[in-house]
Amino acid sequence: MEKYLKLLSESKIFEGVKEEEILKMLNCLSFKIRSYKKGEYIFLIGDKISSAAIVLEGTVHIQKEDYWGNLSILNEMSEGDIFGEAYSASLSGMAENNAVAVKECVILYLNLEKILTVCSSLCDHHNTLIKNIYRTISAKNLFLTQKIGYLSQRTTREKLFSYLSDQSVKAKSATFTIPFNRQQLADFLAVDRSAMCSELSKMQKDGIISYSKNTFTLKEI
Amino acid sequence: MEKYLKLLSESKIFEGVKEEEILKMLNCLSFKIRSYKKGEYIFLIGDKISSAAIVLEGTVHIQKEDYWGNLSILNEMSEGDIFGEAYSASLSGMAENNAVAVKECVILYLNLEKILTVCSSLCDHHNTLIKNIYRTISAKNLFLTQKIGYLSQRTTREKLFSYLSDQSVKAKSATFTIPFNRQQLADFLAVDRSAMCSELSKMQKDGIISYSKNTFTLKEI
DNA sequence: AAGAAAAAGTTGTAAAAACAACAAGAGTGA
DNA sequence: TCACTCTTGTTGTTTTTACAACTTTTTCTT
């Protein structure tokens, strides 16, 4: 427990709340902490979800496999991100995607409905928590909308370019590192890996970008 | 003002709050109501967004045009939906997409930060409001994730089929009506309209679906 | 350090999409 | 009702992608 308190205090959810306060708050909320091994499923499509999951450590992919086995990574959650919160608030309450630990993960489960019911000013920092959760979910919204922007591009080159441009802007540098390997990037952009690789080569040949491994540089045109 | 109170009481945001309470609450919050004509821009990329917008009447498209003029409808907001809330909570606070009224619209602006700061139990229904907002944003999240599921499909047929399947499930019927015309559906699914039309024809020929105008029926296989 | 395994890159081909240009139909207003 | 506009559907061509099969490079393991 103690070893996770530091993690919690560093997470976006508990930003601005001191460790001793977090402990008090957790006691007034339903919570559970569990760790997962690399590759392990956190939940599966159809699972009943009653609480939100917060990534304390590691990385989680929200993904879906279609009938023919094509994998789509719908979203990547990393430290401080909330996932599954939408299912717990939905009518059916059932997961519509799989959540998989892509590396060793530590997940905190919280009953958000309980959090949102402000408990007679029992904890001073309840408000902070609500604001933090709101910001996190909003940020996720923004991310999803951005991703839709990439996927809405017609060609692989346009998809790559819009994604890489955004990463460059986010890094405030023409050179930046992305958190995906080639297969993951292809899944994220919903294109074929080998086709994407060859498109990357072409873009490099055309002098639009240069790259090595996961580090890319956008060129002036 | 009075004419909007009924709208507000019917909105998802104020669900469970009586009209007289809403009036009280609005007084303790910053708010603004404005209407827009069909085709009018509600905000543009780069605009500074300080409050969340709630659709009281009409429909809004969140969209983006790329360098070459391709339009992408990233999201459709209808009555009760919140939009722009992510920008107001983000660092830059600037809109990253355009918001356009696709029909006559009435928009309520609320300062969400103010809402989330629970005001010394001044209004009893503040909690209800917070929960409603959370549910709305979560639902939006779910919608965005679903859309990413459609866009992640490789072929136009798969995109159409995954979208139509979901609509069928949502309508709890093999026959259902979609809220898009062909051009809007094509923009939504990020495909070429004419190519999509011909794919729809093929799917009908293949006996997978049948349709007339915006009403579709999924066939047993 | 060697061998195995995983990831990345390459190429050719068949399939699919974008694009363009046009035809047909539905809806609207004078 | 006629002309005009908007929407939908059709077809052929060009471009792009998926797919498959393979090579090269990198990373991991013992």
Side-chain angles (χ1 to χ4, degrees), chain A residues 119-179:
Chain A
C119 54
S120 56
S121 68
L122 191 64
C123 354
D124 298 342
H125 294 281
H126 210 139
N127 259 311
T128 310
L129 190 59
I130 290 175
K131 270 197 197 177
N132 287 347
I133 286 171
Y134 165 69
R135 287 214 189 87
T136 307
I137 299 183
S138 287
K140 184 171 160 182
N141 241 306
L142 214 54
F143 173 80
L144 292 172
T145 305
Q146 272 171 350
K147 171 160 178 171
I148 286 176
Y150 312 143
L151 294 182
S152 296
Q153 303 300 316
R154 304 304 159 90
T155 67
T156 300
R157 179 176 288 223
E158 283 166 15
K159 283 176 187 165
L160 281 166
F161 195 71
S162 62
Y163 171 72
L164 294 174
S165 298
D166 265 17
Q167 294 307 304
S168 167
V169 170
K170 222 166 268 172
K172 290 178 187 165
S173 158
T175 299
F176 52 91
T177 301
I178 65 169

Side-chain angles (χ1 to χ4, degrees), chain B residues 1-219:
Chain B
M1 188 57 235
E2 301 302 319
K3 78 178 235 196
Y4 293 131
L5 261 186
K6 193 165 158 47
L7 273 178
L8 284 172
S9 71
E10 284 165 355
S11 73
K12 285 178 204 139
I13 296 296
F14 286 98
E15 195 175 293
V17 187
K18 283 174 189 161
E19 286 189 29
E20 57 265 34
E21 298 290 342
I22 294 175
L23 206 55
K24 272 194 232 162
M25 292 174 75
L26 286 179
N27 288 331
C28 100
L29 302 165
S30 299
F31 83 101
K32 203 181 97 181
I33 291 182
R34 214 200 118 176
S35 34
Y36 294 85
K37 293 203 184 104
K38 179 178 171 174
E40 198 174 348
Y41 280 87
I42 295 164
F43 58 72
L44 291 164
I45 296 173
D47 282 0
K48 196 91 186 167
I49 310 291
S50 57
S51 44
I54 295 156
V55 183
L56 296 181
E57 246 181 337
T59 309
V60 175
H61 280 181
I62 308 301
Q63 57 188 37
K64 204 176 188 177
E65 238 178 89
D66 71 16
Y67 184 77
W68 298 272
N70 289 313
L71 180 71
S72 300
I73 300 182
L74 303 179
N75 204 350
E76 185 187 64
M77 318 303 324
S78 44
E79 282 168 38
D81 290 333
I82 302 190
F83 65 97
E85 88 287 345
Y87 305 128
S88 55
S90 76
L91 276 178
S92 76
M94 292 200 301
E96 295 178 19
N97 302 295
N98 297 319
V100 186
V102 281
K103 15 176 154 163
E104 186 89 19
C105 278
V106 180
I107 306 294
L108 167 72
Y109 292 98
L110 285 179
N111 185 322
L112 282 200
E113 284 288 326
K114 210 169 239 179
I115 292 172
L116 294 173
T117 307
V118 178
C119 52
S120 57
S121 69
L122 192 65
C123 353
D124 299 341
H125 294 281
H126 210 139
N127 258 309
T128 310
L129 190 60
I130 289 175
K131 270 196 199 182
N132 286 346
I133 286 171
Y134 165 67
R135 287 212 189 88
T136 307
I137 298 182
S138 287
K140 184 171 162 184
N141 241 305
L142 216 51
F143 173 79
L144 292 172
T145 305
Q146 272 171 350
K147 172 159 179 173
I148 285 176
Y150 311 143
L151 294 181
S152 297
Q153 302 300 316
R154 304 303 159 91
T155 66
T156 300
R157 179 175 290 220
E158 284 165 14
K159 282 176 186 165
L160 281 166
F161 196 73
S162 62
Y163 172 71
L164 294 174
S165 299
D166 265 16
Q167 294 307 302
S168 168
V169 169
K170 222 167 265 173
K172 290 178 188 167
S173 158
T175 300
F176 51 91
T177 301
I178 65 168
F180 293 128
N181 66 29
R182 294 291 184 274
Q183 184 61 63
Q184 288 171 336
L185 180 59
D187 288 339
F188 181 79
L189 296 178
V191 294
D192 179 72
R193 182 198 57 77
S194 63
M196 187 191 76
C197 276
S198 74
E199 193 60 41
L200 280 171
S201 303
K202 278 186 212 161
M203 289 169 81
Q204 192 161 44
K205 236 171 252 162
D206 293 351
I208 299 173
I209 61 169
S210 71
Y211 60 91
S212 93
K213 286 196 214 174
N214 296 348
T215 302
F216 290 78
T217 303
L218 299 192
K219 302 290 186 179

